Amino acid sequence: MSKKIIIANMKTKSNYNDIKKYLKILEGRVTYPGVIFMPTSLYASYFIEKGYKVGLQDIFFEKEGSYTGEILPCQAKSLGIKYVMVGHSERRAYSNESNQIINKKIRNALEEKMGVVLCVGETKEERALMETREAIRRQLFTALKGIDNLKNLIIAYEPVWAIGSGKIPSKRELAKTVDFIKEFIAEIKEGAKVKVVYGGSVRSKSLPIFNQIENLDGYLIGGASCDAEEFLKIIELCENIK
């Protein structure tokens, strides 16, 4: 079984002193190559200085121009940031991001040869109506329209109902959804292969079960990634997969 990708979406849960303590706890203890840290943009440089792989939690949808308060893909790349996350449900909800805007972000980041983590997932209501696949199909189809080179793309399946709720899909349910995403991408993109990670209330206690899903390529960790000791447990569990 291949090693898992571990992406830390640290959201906006830490201030400057928290980050200093966090990095001190991690010092010399993160050797696993599959870890990507996505702190608040303000703190990205501190992780870069430590030699970690770093991504941003979002990026602007234009390539160049004057957009006060935004970060362009070329700026992020020039700093040594290699990854960016787009389409997170919180961005969709609080910033009204459409799949068309997400499509532009993906295009621009991929043109800069950055790795892109595209988040997709159904709401509680869509799940209740058994519309999980339709919701994911709709998000993927529009977000990837006109984009053919998916080599640097990772799909993060994050069911909205699971984020921060403590609820998680069953092993069987998650395995089937991961298979569906990979099969759908192959269908609309001429056999293209992508890596799929899972996010939504991921903790070290649930990882041994999820680690058994062979077609699952890793995890997008939210709140748990802000707890240094808990995050180290998650890394260790992935590192020790046989």
Side-chain angles (χ1 to χ4, degrees):
M1 187 180 292
S2 61
K3 298 292 187 182
K4 306 291 189 185
I5 302 165
I6 309 172
I7 305 167
N9 173 19
M10 301 181 70
K11 303 180 181 260
T12 53
K13 292 184 176 292
S14 306
N15 60 31
Y16 174 63
N17 288 327
D18 295 329
I19 291 296
K20 286 199 299 183
K21 292 174 185 176
Y22 183 91
L23 288 170
K24 188 171 183 178
I25 293 171
L26 261 57
E27 193 164 357
R29 299 173 69 183
V30 181
T31 57
Y32 184 68
V35 180
I36 303 168
F37 289 95
M38 291 186 170
T40 303
S41 301
L42 282 171
Y43 308 132
S45 60
Y46 297 109
F47 286 80
I48 293 170
E49 289 168 1
K50 296 293 183 180
Y52 296 128
K53 293 178 183 176
V54 178
L56 295 184
Q57 297 172 15
D58 187 47
I59 203 77
F60 196 55
F61 59 85
E62 295 292 0
K63 292 176 63 176
E64 57 185 3
S66 300
Y67 304 100
T68 300
E70 300 293 347
I71 299 174
L72 303 181
C74 60
Q75 292 177 308
K77 187 180 178 182
S78 71
L79 189 61
I81 293 167
K82 300 187 183 330
Y83 299 88
V84 63
M85 179 168 58
V86 299
H88 191 279
S89 62
E90 291 162 357
R91 297 288 311 175
R92 294 176 188 263
Y94 305 141
S95 300
N96 296 315
E97 287 191 357
S98 66
N99 288 310
Q100 289 78 11
I101 289 294
I102 290 166
N103 174 266
K104 292 187 70 174
K105 292 184 177 189
I106 294 171
R107 285 172 179 269
N108 291 338
L110 289 178
E111 285 181 12
E112 291 291 340
K113 295 184 170 50
M114 298 180 75
V116 174
V117 181
L118 167 61
C119 300
V120 299
E122 80 280 13
T123 63
K124 180 180 178 180
E125 293 75 20
E126 288 168 333
R127 186 181 190 227
L129 293 171
M130 302 184 71
E131 294 179 353
T132 294
R133 293 192 174 191
E134 179 54 37
I136 294 172
R137 185 185 289 112
R138 183 173 58 251
Q139 291 167 7
L140 288 174
F141 186 82
T142 307
L144 298 179
K145 189 173 182 179
I147 299 171
D148 297 319
N149 185 0
L150 307 184
K151 182 178 67 172
N152 292 331
L153 181 73
I154 298 170
I155 305 295
Y157 169 54
E158 272 209 318
V160 182
W161 54 267
I163 299 172
S165 69
K167 299 177 181 178
I168 56 176
S170 68
K171 176 182 170 183
R172 180 174 179 273
E173 184 181 1
L174 179 53
K176 289 179 70 174
T177 304
V178 171
D179 284 340
F180 166 72
I181 291 172
K182 293 193 175 190
E183 289 164 5
F184 181 67
I185 293 290
E187 176 187 333
I188 65 172
K189 296 297 178 182
E190 299 183 352
K193 295 181 179 180
V194 295
K195 293 187 181 299
V196 177
V197 300
Y198 168 72
S201 295
V202 178
R203 300 288 187 273
S204 58
K205 64 181 181 181
S206 58
L207 230 64
I209 296 173
F210 288 152
N211 276 345
Q212 296 171 22
I213 303 175
E214 293 193 11
N215 211 21
L216 181 61
D217 298 299
Y219 307 100
L220 177 59
I221 316 292
S225 70
C226 299
D227 180 332
E229 293 295 347
E230 169 67 4
F231 193 53
L232 286 168
K233 289 179 185 176
I234 290 171
I235 294 172
E236 183 180 4
L237 285 166
C238 291
E239 199 167 15
N240 292 333
I241 294 175
K242 301 296 182 183

